[in-house]
Amino acid sequence: MRTLLGSAAVACGLMLGAAAPAQQPTVGVFGQKYPVSDFNRSIAYYTKYFPLQKGKLYNDTEMALASTEPTSTQRPITLWLDPCAGPGGQAAAARSIEATDTVHRKLATCTSRFRAGSAWLFIMVPDAAKSAALLRADGHEAVLKRVPATGPGYLLFLTEDPDGNIVEAVQAVTR
């Protein structure tokens, strides 16, 4: 009996151990980086108008914005501080990144097209009308549109962050 229970425990442990990797998909979007020229200005913008809060500082050039919604499945957004958009531009960037491959070399020499103002971000919001009204009250463009779909539709608007990156806010709604 002891051998049977021990074997069952080992088998359960093996099954649980094997099941753990299956819970995380092997293919999918892990996250996204979003180029900005000023962390403080961008954090103030995103936390005022969208359900996001300042997250973890990964290093000198990367900081997370996380959802404030407890049921959100959104992965954190990583703000990437674009050294080419700041004072000193290319010279400062070349000193700050060790260019060990072509992609890093392009980022370090400001020849990559990944610049502040070149991104498009989708953010799920609980109340698109409220976010759009807050933006409009402060002089930002945010035209609310209802988009029908098979099943629930969407309320959405496009706006630009302080760097000119496009932000599309989306709220799923019932018919």
Short mmCIF file of all heavy atoms in Angstrom, two decimals, residues 96-149:
data_model
loop_
_atom_site.label_atom_id
_atom_site.label_comp_id
_atom_site.label_asym_id
_atom_site.label_seq_id
_atom_site.Cartn_x
_atom_site.Cartn_y
_atom_site.Cartn_z
N SER A 96 25.72 55.02 -24.76
CA SER A 96 24.91 54.35 -23.76
C SER A 96 24.61 52.88 -24.05
O SER A 96 24.23 52.14 -23.17
CB SER A 96 23.59 55.10 -23.59
OG SER A 96 22.81 54.98 -24.75
N ILE A 97 24.77 52.42 -25.27
CA ILE A 97 24.41 51.05 -25.63
C ILE A 97 25.63 50.35 -26.22
O ILE A 97 26.28 50.89 -27.11
CB ILE A 97 23.26 51.02 -26.66
CG1 ILE A 97 22.02 51.71 -26.10
CG2 ILE A 97 22.93 49.59 -27.06
CD1 ILE A 97 20.91 51.86 -27.11
N GLU A 98 25.94 49.16 -25.72
CA GLU A 98 26.99 48.36 -26.33
C GLU A 98 26.42 47.71 -27.58
O GLU A 98 25.53 46.88 -27.50
CB GLU A 98 27.48 47.29 -25.37
CG GLU A 98 28.67 47.74 -24.57
CD GLU A 98 29.32 46.59 -23.84
OE1 GLU A 98 29.56 45.52 -24.45
OE2 GLU A 98 29.59 46.77 -22.65
N ALA A 99 26.91 48.11 -28.72
CA ALA A 99 26.39 47.61 -29.99
C ALA A 99 27.09 46.31 -30.35
O ALA A 99 28.16 46.31 -30.95
CB ALA A 99 26.58 48.66 -31.07
N THR A 100 26.49 45.18 -29.98
CA THR A 100 27.10 43.88 -30.24
C THR A 100 26.48 43.19 -31.46
O THR A 100 26.99 42.17 -31.90
CB THR A 100 26.94 42.96 -29.02
OG1 THR A 100 25.55 42.87 -28.71
CG2 THR A 100 27.71 43.51 -27.82
N ASP A 101 25.38 43.71 -31.97
CA ASP A 101 24.74 43.12 -33.15
C ASP A 101 24.14 44.26 -33.98
O ASP A 101 24.14 45.41 -33.57
CB ASP A 101 23.67 42.11 -32.73
CG ASP A 101 22.64 42.72 -31.80
OD1 ASP A 101 21.87 43.59 -32.26
OD2 ASP A 101 22.59 42.33 -30.62
N THR A 102 23.65 43.91 -35.14
CA THR A 102 23.14 44.93 -36.07
C THR A 102 21.99 45.74 -35.49
O THR A 102 21.96 46.95 -35.62
CB THR A 102 22.68 44.26 -37.39
OG1 THR A 102 23.77 43.50 -37.91
CG2 THR A 102 22.25 45.29 -38.41
N VAL A 103 21.05 45.07 -34.82
CA VAL A 103 19.89 45.79 -34.28
C VAL A 103 20.33 46.77 -33.21
O VAL A 103 19.95 47.94 -33.23
CB VAL A 103 18.84 44.80 -33.73
CG1 VAL A 103 17.71 45.55 -33.05
CG2 VAL A 103 18.29 43.93 -34.85
N HIS A 104 21.16 46.32 -32.27
CA HIS A 104 21.65 47.23 -31.23
C HIS A 104 22.51 48.34 -31.81
O HIS A 104 22.48 49.48 -31.34
CB HIS A 104 22.43 46.47 -30.15
CG HIS A 104 21.54 45.75 -29.20
ND1 HIS A 104 21.25 44.41 -29.32
CD2 HIS A 104 20.84 46.20 -28.12
CE1 HIS A 104 20.42 44.05 -28.36
NE2 HIS A 104 20.15 45.12 -27.62
N ARG A 105 23.26 48.03 -32.86
CA ARG A 105 24.09 49.05 -33.50
C ARG A 105 23.21 50.15 -34.11
O ARG A 105 23.49 51.32 -34.01
CB ARG A 105 24.98 48.39 -34.57
CG ARG A 105 26.28 49.08 -34.79
CD ARG A 105 27.30 48.35 -35.66
NE ARG A 105 26.96 47.11 -36.31
CZ ARG A 105 27.20 45.89 -35.80
NH1 ARG A 105 27.76 45.74 -34.63
NH2 ARG A 105 26.87 44.81 -36.48
N LYS A 106 22.08 49.74 -34.73
CA LYS A 106 21.16 50.72 -35.31
C LYS A 106 20.54 51.59 -34.20
O LYS A 106 20.40 52.80 -34.36
CB LYS A 106 20.05 50.03 -36.10
CG LYS A 106 20.48 49.53 -37.45
CD LYS A 106 19.30 48.90 -38.17
CE LYS A 106 19.67 48.49 -39.57
NZ LYS A 106 18.52 47.94 -40.29
N LEU A 107 20.16 50.96 -33.08
CA LEU A 107 19.62 51.74 -31.97
C LEU A 107 20.67 52.70 -31.41
O LEU A 107 20.38 53.85 -31.11
CB LEU A 107 19.12 50.81 -30.85
CG LEU A 107 17.86 50.00 -31.16
CD1 LEU A 107 17.64 48.94 -30.09
CD2 LEU A 107 16.65 50.90 -31.29
N ALA A 108 21.91 52.22 -31.29
CA ALA A 108 22.98 53.02 -30.71
C ALA A 108 23.40 54.19 -31.60
O ALA A 108 23.86 55.20 -31.09
CB ALA A 108 24.18 52.14 -30.41
N THR A 109 23.25 54.05 -32.89
CA THR A 109 23.68 55.12 -33.80
C THR A 109 22.50 55.93 -34.34
O THR A 109 22.67 56.74 -35.26
CB THR A 109 24.47 54.53 -34.97
OG1 THR A 109 23.65 53.58 -35.66
CG2 THR A 109 25.76 53.87 -34.49
N CYS A 110 21.33 55.71 -33.76
CA CYS A 110 20.11 56.44 -34.15
C CYS A 110 19.74 56.22 -35.61
O CYS A 110 19.15 57.10 -36.24
CB CYS A 110 20.24 57.93 -33.83
SG CYS A 110 20.50 58.25 -32.08
N THR A 111 20.08 55.06 -36.18
CA THR A 111 19.70 54.77 -37.56
C THR A 111 18.51 53.82 -37.63
O THR A 111 18.02 53.55 -38.71
CB THR A 111 20.89 54.18 -38.34
OG1 THR A 111 21.37 53.02 -37.65
CG2 THR A 111 22.01 55.20 -38.49
N SER A 112 18.02 53.34 -36.48
CA SER A 112 16.81 52.52 -36.46
C SER A 112 15.60 53.43 -36.63
O SER A 112 15.62 54.58 -36.21
CB SER A 112 16.71 51.79 -35.11
OG SER A 112 15.43 51.23 -34.96
N ARG A 113 14.57 52.91 -37.24
CA ARG A 113 13.34 53.70 -37.39
C ARG A 113 12.46 53.64 -36.14
O ARG A 113 11.40 54.24 -36.09
CB ARG A 113 12.56 53.23 -38.62
CG ARG A 113 13.24 53.67 -39.90
CD ARG A 113 12.46 53.27 -41.11
NE ARG A 113 13.35 52.38 -41.86
CZ ARG A 113 12.97 51.49 -42.73
NH1 ARG A 113 11.71 51.31 -42.98
NH2 ARG A 113 13.84 50.75 -43.35
N PHE A 114 12.89 52.91 -35.12
CA PHE A 114 12.16 52.81 -33.86
C PHE A 114 12.47 54.05 -33.03
O PHE A 114 13.42 54.11 -32.29
CB PHE A 114 12.58 51.53 -33.13
CG PHE A 114 11.76 51.24 -31.90
CD1 PHE A 114 10.39 51.03 -31.99
CD2 PHE A 114 12.36 51.14 -30.66
CE1 PHE A 114 9.64 50.73 -30.87
CE2 PHE A 114 11.61 50.85 -29.53
CZ PHE A 114 10.25 50.64 -29.63
N ARG A 115 11.68 55.08 -33.23
CA ARG A 115 11.90 56.38 -32.60
C ARG A 115 10.64 56.79 -31.85
O ARG A 115 9.53 56.35 -32.17
CB ARG A 115 12.15 57.46 -33.67
CG ARG A 115 13.38 57.27 -34.51
CD ARG A 115 14.61 57.91 -33.91
NE ARG A 115 15.08 57.29 -32.70
CZ ARG A 115 15.89 56.23 -32.64
NH1 ARG A 115 16.32 55.66 -33.71
NH2 ARG A 115 16.26 55.75 -31.50
N ALA A 116 10.80 57.66 -30.91
CA ALA A 116 9.64 58.25 -30.24
C ALA A 116 8.76 58.87 -31.32
O ALA A 116 9.25 59.59 -32.19
CB ALA A 116 10.09 59.30 -29.23
N GLY A 117 7.49 58.56 -31.30
CA GLY A 117 6.56 59.06 -32.30
C GLY A 117 6.30 58.08 -33.43
O GLY A 117 5.54 58.37 -34.34
N SER A 118 6.92 56.88 -33.38
CA SER A 118 6.76 55.93 -34.48
C SER A 118 5.90 54.72 -34.11
O SER A 118 5.78 53.80 -34.89
CB SER A 118 8.14 55.42 -34.94
OG SER A 118 8.74 54.63 -33.93
N ALA A 119 5.29 54.72 -32.92
CA ALA A 119 4.57 53.53 -32.46
C ALA A 119 3.06 53.73 -32.47
O ALA A 119 2.55 54.84 -32.52
CB ALA A 119 5.04 53.16 -31.06
N TRP A 120 2.34 52.61 -32.39
CA TRP A 120 0.88 52.59 -32.31
C TRP A 120 0.54 51.60 -31.21
O TRP A 120 0.91 50.43 -31.28
CB TRP A 120 0.30 52.14 -33.63
CG TRP A 120 -1.19 52.23 -33.76
CD1 TRP A 120 -2.13 51.80 -32.88
CD2 TRP A 120 -1.90 52.76 -34.87
NE1 TRP A 120 -3.39 52.02 -33.37
CE2 TRP A 120 -3.27 52.63 -34.60
CE3 TRP A 120 -1.52 53.34 -36.06
CZ2 TRP A 120 -4.27 53.04 -35.48
CZ3 TRP A 120 -2.51 53.74 -36.93
CH2 TRP A 120 -3.87 53.60 -36.64
N LEU A 121 -0.17 52.05 -30.21
CA LEU A 121 -0.47 51.23 -29.04
C LEU A 121 -1.96 51.08 -28.86
O LEU A 121 -2.70 52.05 -28.98
CB LEU A 121 0.13 51.91 -27.80
CG LEU A 121 -0.11 51.27 -26.45
CD1 LEU A 121 0.62 49.95 -26.35
CD2 LEU A 121 0.36 52.20 -25.35
N PHE A 122 -2.44 49.86 -28.60
CA PHE A 122 -3.84 49.60 -28.28
C PHE A 122 -3.94 49.42 -26.77
O PHE A 122 -3.20 48.63 -26.20
CB PHE A 122 -4.33 48.31 -28.95
CG PHE A 122 -4.47 48.41 -30.43
CD1 PHE A 122 -3.39 48.24 -31.27
CD2 PHE A 122 -5.72 48.65 -30.99
CE1 PHE A 122 -3.52 48.32 -32.64
CE2 PHE A 122 -5.87 48.73 -32.36
CZ PHE A 122 -4.77 48.56 -33.18
N ILE A 123 -4.87 50.13 -26.15
CA ILE A 123 -5.09 49.98 -24.72
C ILE A 123 -6.57 49.68 -24.50
O ILE A 123 -7.44 50.40 -24.98
CB ILE A 123 -4.72 51.27 -23.94
CG1 ILE A 123 -3.24 51.61 -24.14
CG2 ILE A 123 -5.04 51.11 -22.45
CD1 ILE A 123 -2.81 52.89 -23.46
N MET A 124 -6.85 48.60 -23.78
CA MET A 124 -8.23 48.29 -23.39
C MET A 124 -8.57 49.20 -22.21
O MET A 124 -7.79 49.31 -21.27
CB MET A 124 -8.37 46.84 -22.96
CG MET A 124 -8.14 45.84 -24.08
SD MET A 124 -9.32 45.95 -25.44
CE MET A 124 -10.83 45.48 -24.66
N VAL A 125 -9.71 49.88 -22.29
CA VAL A 125 -10.14 50.78 -21.22
C VAL A 125 -11.54 50.38 -20.76
O VAL A 125 -12.34 49.88 -21.55
CB VAL A 125 -10.14 52.26 -21.69
CG1 VAL A 125 -8.73 52.73 -21.99
CG2 VAL A 125 -11.02 52.48 -22.89
N PRO A 126 -11.85 50.60 -19.47
CA PRO A 126 -13.18 50.24 -18.98
C PRO A 126 -14.25 51.23 -19.42
O PRO A 126 -15.42 50.88 -19.51
CB PRO A 126 -13.02 50.24 -17.46
CG PRO A 126 -11.85 51.11 -17.20
CD PRO A 126 -10.96 51.01 -18.40
N ASP A 127 -13.86 52.49 -19.71
CA ASP A 127 -14.82 53.52 -20.07
C ASP A 127 -14.19 54.46 -21.10
O ASP A 127 -13.57 55.46 -20.75
CB ASP A 127 -15.25 54.29 -18.82
CG ASP A 127 -16.42 55.24 -19.06
OD1 ASP A 127 -16.67 55.60 -20.23
OD2 ASP A 127 -17.07 55.62 -18.07
N ALA A 128 -14.35 54.12 -22.38
CA ALA A 128 -13.73 54.90 -23.46
C ALA A 128 -14.28 56.33 -23.50
O ALA A 128 -13.53 57.27 -23.75
CB ALA A 128 -13.95 54.22 -24.80
N ALA A 129 -15.57 56.50 -23.22
CA ALA A 129 -16.16 57.84 -23.25
C ALA A 129 -15.53 58.74 -22.18
O ALA A 129 -15.23 59.91 -22.45
CB ALA A 129 -17.67 57.76 -23.05
N LYS A 130 -15.30 58.20 -21.02
CA LYS A 130 -14.69 58.97 -19.93
C LYS A 130 -13.25 59.35 -20.28
O LYS A 130 -12.86 60.51 -20.11
CB LYS A 130 -14.71 58.16 -18.64
CG LYS A 130 -14.08 58.87 -17.46
CD LYS A 130 -14.13 58.01 -16.20
CE LYS A 130 -13.38 58.66 -15.06
NZ LYS A 130 -13.33 57.79 -13.89
N SER A 131 -12.46 58.39 -20.79
CA SER A 131 -11.08 58.69 -21.18
C SER A 131 -11.03 59.74 -22.29
O SER A 131 -10.22 60.67 -22.24
CB SER A 131 -10.36 57.42 -21.65
OG SER A 131 -10.16 56.53 -20.58
N ALA A 132 -11.93 59.60 -23.28
CA ALA A 132 -11.96 60.56 -24.39
C ALA A 132 -12.34 61.95 -23.89
O ALA A 132 -11.76 62.96 -24.31
CB ALA A 132 -12.94 60.09 -25.46
N ALA A 133 -13.31 62.03 -22.98
CA ALA A 133 -13.74 63.33 -22.43
C ALA A 133 -12.61 63.99 -21.66
O ALA A 133 -12.40 65.22 -21.78
CB ALA A 133 -14.96 63.15 -21.54
N LEU A 134 -11.86 63.23 -20.88
CA LEU A 134 -10.72 63.79 -20.13
C LEU A 134 -9.67 64.36 -21.09
O LEU A 134 -9.14 65.45 -20.88
CB LEU A 134 -10.07 62.72 -19.25
CG LEU A 134 -10.78 62.32 -17.98
CD1 LEU A 134 -10.12 61.08 -17.35
CD2 LEU A 134 -10.75 63.47 -16.98
N LEU A 135 -9.37 63.60 -22.14
CA LEU A 135 -8.40 64.06 -23.13
C LEU A 135 -8.87 65.33 -23.82
O LEU A 135 -8.11 66.30 -23.97
CB LEU A 135 -8.13 62.96 -24.16
CG LEU A 135 -7.21 61.84 -23.68
CD1 LEU A 135 -7.46 60.56 -24.45
CD2 LEU A 135 -5.76 62.27 -23.82
N ARG A 136 -10.14 65.35 -24.27
CA ARG A 136 -10.67 66.53 -24.95
C ARG A 136 -10.68 67.75 -24.04
O ARG A 136 -10.38 68.87 -24.48
CB ARG A 136 -12.07 66.25 -25.49
CG ARG A 136 -12.09 65.40 -26.75
CD ARG A 136 -13.44 65.39 -27.43
NE ARG A 136 -14.53 65.03 -26.55
CZ ARG A 136 -14.94 63.78 -26.31
NH1 ARG A 136 -14.34 62.78 -26.92
NH2 ARG A 136 -15.94 63.54 -25.51
N ALA A 137 -10.99 67.56 -22.77
CA ALA A 137 -11.01 68.68 -21.82
C ALA A 137 -9.64 69.34 -21.70
O ALA A 137 -9.53 70.53 -21.40
CB ALA A 137 -11.50 68.21 -20.45
N ASP A 138 -8.58 68.55 -21.93
CA ASP A 138 -7.21 69.10 -21.86
C ASP A 138 -6.65 69.45 -23.23
O ASP A 138 -5.45 69.68 -23.38
CB ASP A 138 -6.30 68.09 -21.16
CG ASP A 138 -6.55 68.02 -19.66
OD1 ASP A 138 -7.20 68.94 -19.10
OD2 ASP A 138 -6.08 67.05 -19.03
N GLY A 139 -7.51 69.49 -24.26
CA GLY A 139 -7.09 69.94 -25.57
C GLY A 139 -6.54 68.87 -26.50
O GLY A 139 -6.01 69.19 -27.57
N HIS A 140 -6.67 67.61 -26.14
CA HIS A 140 -6.21 66.52 -27.01
C HIS A 140 -7.36 66.08 -27.91
O HIS A 140 -8.52 66.17 -27.53
CB HIS A 140 -5.75 65.32 -26.18
CG HIS A 140 -4.60 65.61 -25.28
ND1 HIS A 140 -3.30 65.62 -25.72
CD2 HIS A 140 -4.56 65.91 -23.95
CE1 HIS A 140 -2.50 65.90 -24.71
NE2 HIS A 140 -3.25 66.08 -23.62
N GLU A 141 -7.04 65.58 -29.08
CA GLU A 141 -8.07 65.03 -29.96
C GLU A 141 -8.41 63.62 -29.51
O GLU A 141 -7.53 62.81 -29.22
CB GLU A 141 -7.58 64.99 -31.41
CG GLU A 141 -8.66 64.55 -32.37
CD GLU A 141 -8.23 64.62 -33.82
OE1 GLU A 141 -7.14 65.10 -34.10
OE2 GLU A 141 -9.03 64.18 -34.66
N ALA A 142 -9.70 63.32 -29.42
CA ALA A 142 -10.17 61.99 -29.06
C ALA A 142 -11.62 61.86 -29.51
O ALA A 142 -12.54 62.14 -28.75
CB ALA A 142 -10.04 61.75 -27.56
N VAL A 143 -11.83 61.48 -30.77
CA VAL A 143 -13.16 61.35 -31.33
C VAL A 143 -13.66 59.93 -31.10
O VAL A 143 -13.10 58.97 -31.64
CB VAL A 143 -13.16 61.68 -32.84
CG1 VAL A 143 -14.55 61.50 -33.43
CG2 VAL A 143 -12.63 63.09 -33.07
N LEU A 144 -14.69 59.80 -30.30
CA LEU A 144 -15.24 58.50 -29.94
C LEU A 144 -16.05 57.93 -31.10
O LEU A 144 -16.87 58.63 -31.70
CB LEU A 144 -16.13 58.66 -28.70
CG LEU A 144 -16.47 57.41 -27.93
CD1 LEU A 144 -15.22 56.75 -27.37
CD2 LEU A 144 -17.41 57.75 -26.79
N LYS A 145 -15.81 56.65 -31.44
CA LYS A 145 -16.54 55.98 -32.52
C LYS A 145 -17.04 54.65 -32.02
O LYS A 145 -16.38 53.98 -31.24
CB LYS A 145 -15.61 55.74 -33.72
CG LYS A 145 -15.12 57.02 -34.34
CD LYS A 145 -14.23 56.74 -35.50
CE LYS A 145 -13.72 58.07 -36.04
NZ LYS A 145 -12.97 57.96 -37.24
N ARG A 146 -18.22 54.28 -32.50
CA ARG A 146 -18.76 52.95 -32.19
C ARG A 146 -18.54 52.09 -33.42
O ARG A 146 -18.90 52.45 -34.53
CB ARG A 146 -20.24 53.04 -31.86
CG ARG A 146 -20.80 51.71 -31.42
CD ARG A 146 -22.26 51.82 -31.02
NE ARG A 146 -22.74 50.55 -30.58
CZ ARG A 146 -22.79 50.17 -29.31
NH1 ARG A 146 -22.43 51.00 -28.37
NH2 ARG A 146 -23.23 48.99 -28.98
N VAL A 147 -17.93 50.94 -33.22
CA VAL A 147 -17.62 50.03 -34.31
C VAL A 147 -18.41 48.74 -34.10
O VAL A 147 -18.20 48.04 -33.11
CB VAL A 147 -16.11 49.71 -34.36
CG1 VAL A 147 -15.78 48.75 -35.48
CG2 VAL A 147 -15.30 50.99 -34.48
N PRO A 148 -19.35 48.44 -35.01
CA PRO A 148 -20.10 47.20 -34.87
C PRO A 148 -19.22 46.01 -35.21
O PRO A 148 -18.26 46.13 -35.95
CB PRO A 148 -21.25 47.35 -35.86
CG PRO A 148 -20.76 48.34 -36.85
CD PRO A 148 -19.75 49.22 -36.16
N ALA A 149 -19.56 44.89 -34.65
CA ALA A 149 -18.83 43.65 -34.94
C ALA A 149 -19.81 42.50 -34.80
O ALA A 149 -20.91 42.66 -34.30
CB ALA A 149 -17.67 43.49 -33.96
#
